[in-house]
Amino acid sequence: MTPATLNPRLQEIADDFNAMPAKERLQLLLEFSQQLPALPDRYAEHRDLLEPVPECQSPLFLAVEVEPDATVRLFFEAPPEAPTTRGFASILHAGLDGLDADEVLATPGEFTSQLGLQDLVSPLRLRGMAAMLARIKRQIRDQRG
Amino acid sequence: MASEGEFNVALPYDSAAKFGEYAHPQMIVSTEWLAAHLDDPGLVVAESDEDVLLYETGHIPGAVKLDWHTELNDQVTRDYVDGAGFAALMSAKGISRDTTLVLYGDRNNWWAAYALWVCSLFGHPDVRLLDGGRAKWIAEGREVSTAEVKRPQAGYPVIDRDDAQLRAFQDQVLAHLGQPMIDVRSPGEYSGELLHMPDYPQEGALRGGHIPGARSVPWARAAAEDATFRTRAELEAIYHDEAGLRPEDDVVVYCRIGERSSHTWFVLQHLLGFPNVRNYDGSWTEWGNSVRVPITRGENP
């Protein structure tokens, strides 16, 4: 099976994960979880603007903005007691925030299987990350009309 | 097979009045008790969480991590580890057959109860649940540590797993139809409303609904706001008065993969003292995908 092509930033993240032994992959995911940016005030004070992602096993909310030049901005909120969900959100943020809308839309849905986490994290959780991506893409399409 | 001899309980029981009301008070300890006994020889504390990273963010000092997905499950067949696998796992965690094992975890001890149920399939003699789990320990401002825990290797014997008493398989559940059964999933899962969201991953069952005759009692009703178990009187009101279970009933519990129902299994078996409670771990991901098994839709059993 040929892995689908990832944008360079996401590819670098996938390479980082795959370069290390299993136990350290969890540590890397933990570091991602600690780096998830906090919501800006305009969302923190208006949480109704966030879209829930019920496929995640822990509460996760996201917002997507497509700027006039098609730059995508991503915002996530997940509680500190859900570090895995935060880690997944943070990977998406690090890999996709600031890219062009077409680049984000070109991200293959199955990229979650390219992080070397299948043996460490339950399939349902990885599907949660895929669901975040699916919702991000749908919001981009909706906003572009 | 190790002989079923006398086992010396390494540590005293928690004599808290609340636990004294329960059928098996030896199966549960409070955060106060654990804090006082944390350094006792013969005790191993293990954290088992739904979130695979939570332990790494800080755990009870000295506690080892027990992961349901990578450690308690067989990695090929949909089953639990066998006797040799369990012995290797326990030994690596520094747990012996005579260890007092205290389990705790996130989400009202959901996964900790699951780990306890798996330990019970191997008949571990002294395994207890920390009332209130991880949330209560942290809420009380007790110490947590991110230090790596490496306990000395122990020699856990190879014990055959005994599925007969505590575990139900699909054919047994079919034979059990008409007898007491508790579906512990959320009301939406029970009634069979599916979240129809095109392009989004589904829960992994082709059909929605519940096993005919099963009563709906969502598992978390057994937990109070601080994640501790409700008192015996409160639990009796839920399971006896509302769900109609009688003390002598033979009960099957299920959820999606058998994790949430382990929590209810613990409540029925050890807190209320039902003699026969089996967890159907195939649960809805098996039943909802099986050909020609009966299914009921809607809010009624």
Side-chain angles (χ1 to χ4, degrees), chain A residues 3-140:
Chain A
T5 313
L6 300 179
N7 79 63
R9 268 164 52 192
L10 216 44
Q11 185 63 54
E12 192 183 335
I13 293 170
D15 290 345
D16 286 349
F17 272 101
N18 285 292
M20 47 184 60
K23 198 169 162 34
E24 289 171 33
R25 281 179 208 163
L26 282 186
Q27 278 301 322
L28 182 57
L29 189 58
L30 184 63
E31 285 167 25
F32 270 104
S33 78
Q34 292 157 348
Q35 290 158 7
L36 181 66
L39 281 179
D41 287 348
R42 66 181 187 280
Y43 287 115
E45 290 163 8
H46 294 279
R47 301 189 67 257
D48 52 308
L49 297 173
L50 301 168
E51 177 175 351
V53 183
E55 295 89 346
C56 290
Q57 287 176 287
S58 305
L60 179 101
F61 297 85
L62 60 81
V64 181
E65 292 176 4
V66 183
E67 295 179 349
D69 67 352
T71 302
V72 173
R73 294 292 169 196
L74 300 176
F75 307 91
F76 297 94
E77 187 190 54
E81 64 270 20
T84 301
T85 299
R86 286 181 65 87
F88 288 163
S90 183
I91 288 171
L92 291 172
H93 188 270
L96 301 176
D97 180 69
L99 292 185
D100 180 81
D102 286 326
E103 289 180 285
V104 178
L105 290 174
T107 306
E110 65 275 18
F111 97 95
T112 55
S113 65
Q114 296 176 33
L115 298 172
L117 292 170
Q118 303 92 306
D119 295 338
L120 302 171
V121 178
S122 77
L124 206 62
R125 284 202 158 275
L126 286 170
R127 274 191 268 157
M129 179 158 50
M132 288 184 220
L133 177 62
R135 285 169 180 276
I136 289 166
K137 289 183 180 178
R138 199 211 65 230
Q139 282 216 23
I140 291 173

Side-chain angles (χ1 to χ4, degrees), chain B residues 197-240:
Chain B
M197 293 181 292
D199 300 332
Y200 301 132
Q202 294 287 332
E203 268 273 286
L206 291 171
R207 289 290 187 266
H210 56 268
I211 301 176
R215 305 290 296 259
S216 170
V217 184
W219 69 281
R221 292 194 58 199
E225 286 69 29
D226 64 354
T228 58
F229 286 106
R230 295 198 178 279
T231 63
R232 177 147 193 174
E234 291 168 333
L235 294 173
E236 286 180 347
I238 296 170
Y239 295 98
H240 288 288

Side-chain angles (χ1 to χ4, degrees), chain B:
Chain B
M1 198 61 200
S3 64
E4 288 290 325
E6 286 288 309
F7 287 100
N8 292 317
V9 171
L11 273 78
Y13 298 130
D14 186 340
S15 57
K18 174 191 169 191
F19 302 156
E21 304 281 317
Y22 294 142
H24 304 153
Q26 69 272 23
M27 301 294 294
I28 188 163
V29 298
S30 61
T31 50
E32 292 79 13
W33 183 96
L34 185 59
H37 291 278
L38 208 48
D39 298 324
D40 288 10
L43 173 79
V44 175
V45 182
E47 175 164 342
S48 204
D49 293 322
E50 195 272 331
D51 191 301
V52 71
L53 280 180
L54 205 49
Y55 171 88
E56 280 79 3
T57 67
H59 49 78
I60 293 178
V64 296
K65 177 181 179 177
L66 197 54
D67 188 76
W68 68 276
H69 178 234
T70 59
E71 297 182 322
L72 295 177
N73 283 352
D74 184 278
Q75 294 301 294
V76 180
T77 307
R78 183 173 172 185
D79 199 359
Y80 300 99
V81 290
D82 61 11
F86 188 74
L89 175 65
M90 293 292 106
S91 297
K93 305 280 178 193
I95 298 165
S96 309
R97 191 70 175 166
D98 59 0
T99 294
T100 295
L101 178 58
V102 172
L103 295 163
Y104 76 101
D106 62 353
R107 299 195 172 214
N108 301 337
N109 274 329
W110 158 2
W111 297 92
Y114 183 70
L116 187 145
W117 178 72
V118 174
C119 290
S120 301
L121 295 177
F122 293 96
H124 187 82
D126 186 7
V127 56
R128 315 179 190 184
L129 214 48
L130 175 65
D131 197 28
R134 181 184 168 91
K136 186 159 193 278
W137 183 272
I138 288 175
E140 290 170 347
R142 298 184 188 275
E143 189 184 355
V144 291
S145 164
T146 53
E148 190 176 355
V149 176
K150 195 78 189 120
R151 304 193 73 90
Q153 172 89 12
Y156 202 95
V158 175
I159 308 284
D160 287 339
R161 201 182 66 222
D162 180 5
D163 292 334
Q165 304 303 315
L166 308 180
R167 193 177 181 195
F169 296 99
Q170 190 184 41
D171 54 344
Q172 296 169 324
V173 178
L174 278 165
H176 190 80
L177 289 175
Q179 295 176 69
M181 224 180 300
I182 302 287
D183 182 320
V184 313
R185 298 173 300 159
S186 60
E189 290 170 285
Y190 178 84
S191 69
E193 292 167 38
L194 280 177
L195 303 171
H196 276 297
M197 293 181 292
D199 300 332
Y200 301 132
Q202 294 287 332
E203 268 273 286
L206 291 171
R207 289 290 187 266
H210 56 268
I211 301 176
R215 305 290 296 259
S216 170
V217 184
W219 69 281
R221 292 194 58 199
E225 286 69 29
D226 64 354
T228 58
F229 286 106
R230 295 198 178 279
T231 63
R232 177 147 193 174
E234 291 168 333
L235 294 173
E236 286 180 347
I238 296 170
Y239 295 98
H240 288 288
D241 304 343
E242 250 181 74
L245 295 180
R246 288 160 305 179
E248 69 280 9
D249 275 347
D250 179 357
V251 189
V252 167
V253 295
Y254 71 92
C255 57
R256 187 179 62 83
I257 57 170
E259 12 68 283
R260 286 172 286 180
S261 47
S262 294
H263 190 271
T264 299
W265 165 82
F266 183 85
V267 169
L268 296 179
Q269 180 109 72
H270 293 305
L271 303 186
L272 291 178
F274 284 85
N276 296 307
V277 187
R278 286 173 295 160
N279 184 20
Y280 169 40
D281 60 274
S283 278
W284 200 256
T285 49
E286 179 177 52
W287 198 273
N289 286 313
S290 289
V291 177
R292 295 183 72 178
V293 296
I295 289 176
T296 299
R297 281 274 185 98
E299 293 168 7
N300 298 319

